[in-house]
Amino acid sequence: MNDILKLARIQILIIILFAFFKFIRPSVLNSDSPNLFKVILLSLPNFFEAIVGILTLTSIGLYINSKVITPKKKIKDHFIYTIAIILTAIYVITQEFKIHNLGGNNVFDQNDVLFSCIGLTVGYLIIMWIRPKTQNA
């Protein structure tokens, strides 16, 4: 389960970054900072949400595959990665297009969609780089 712990450590780092940017956001938005900084600060939560979503769903899938599913019915790790990425993409993109408001009262912004897509890509790259496994370490 070392790989799941590795994903959890990455998630903690991302949550700390999220909190930091959330903390500095009011002062940057009220300052004379360039508009680009303001757009980035307003859209960063979407970036972080996509990454954490992929890592969380991958971890849950790997854990269930390892501890709950019988050995004869185990799912291949790549299939778990694919399911996690697809479910996260459905959630974050449909939220950005206001199909649902499960994450709060969302306002459509094309920059949020862009940051969500970038976050999905980064989450995918993290999973493909680590290639977490279901076996116990």
Side-chain angles (χ1 to χ4, degrees):
M1 291 287 131
N2 281 341
D3 290 343
I4 291 176
L5 292 175
K6 190 182 298 184
L7 294 179
R9 285 190 295 271
I10 294 170
Q11 288 178 57
I12 290 169
L13 176 65
I14 290 170
I15 291 168
I16 290 169
L17 287 171
F18 170 79
F20 170 75
F21 286 115
K22 191 81 165 175
F23 178 74
I24 67 166
R25 182 159 62 174
S27 60
V28 173
L29 293 177
N30 291 328
S31 70
D32 291 333
S33 299
N35 201 32
L36 177 63
F37 291 146
K38 293 177 182 181
V39 167
I40 290 171
L41 276 178
L42 290 171
S43 296
L44 267 177
N46 303 81
F47 172 78
F48 293 134
E49 177 183 52
I51 296 172
V52 169
I54 288 174
L55 299 181
T56 301
L57 290 179
T58 300
S59 297
I60 291 169
L62 291 171
Y63 183 81
I64 289 172
N65 199 41
S66 175
K67 301 292 184 184
V68 177
I69 297 178
T70 61
K72 290 183 180 180
K73 296 183 180 181
K74 294 275 187 212
I75 301 169
K76 292 189 183 267
D77 294 336
H78 287 316
F79 188 65
I80 293 171
Y81 308 157
T82 303
I83 291 172
I85 292 165
I86 289 170
L87 290 177
T88 303
I90 289 169
Y91 176 81
V92 298
I93 299 300
T94 56
Q95 181 180 12
E96 292 313 316
F97 285 110
K98 297 192 60 64
I99 295 172
H100 67 81
N101 279 322
L102 295 175
N105 192 12
N106 199 29
V107 176
F108 175 76
D109 181 5
Q110 62 190 7
N111 294 316
D112 290 351
V113 175
L114 174 65
F115 274 72
S116 292
C117 291
I118 294 169
L120 290 167
T121 303
V122 170
Y124 167 79
L125 292 173
I126 290 170
I127 293 299
M128 289 298 107
W129 175 54
I130 295 174
R131 296 196 186 275
K133 304 283 184 246
T134 55
Q135 72 268 8
N136 290 325

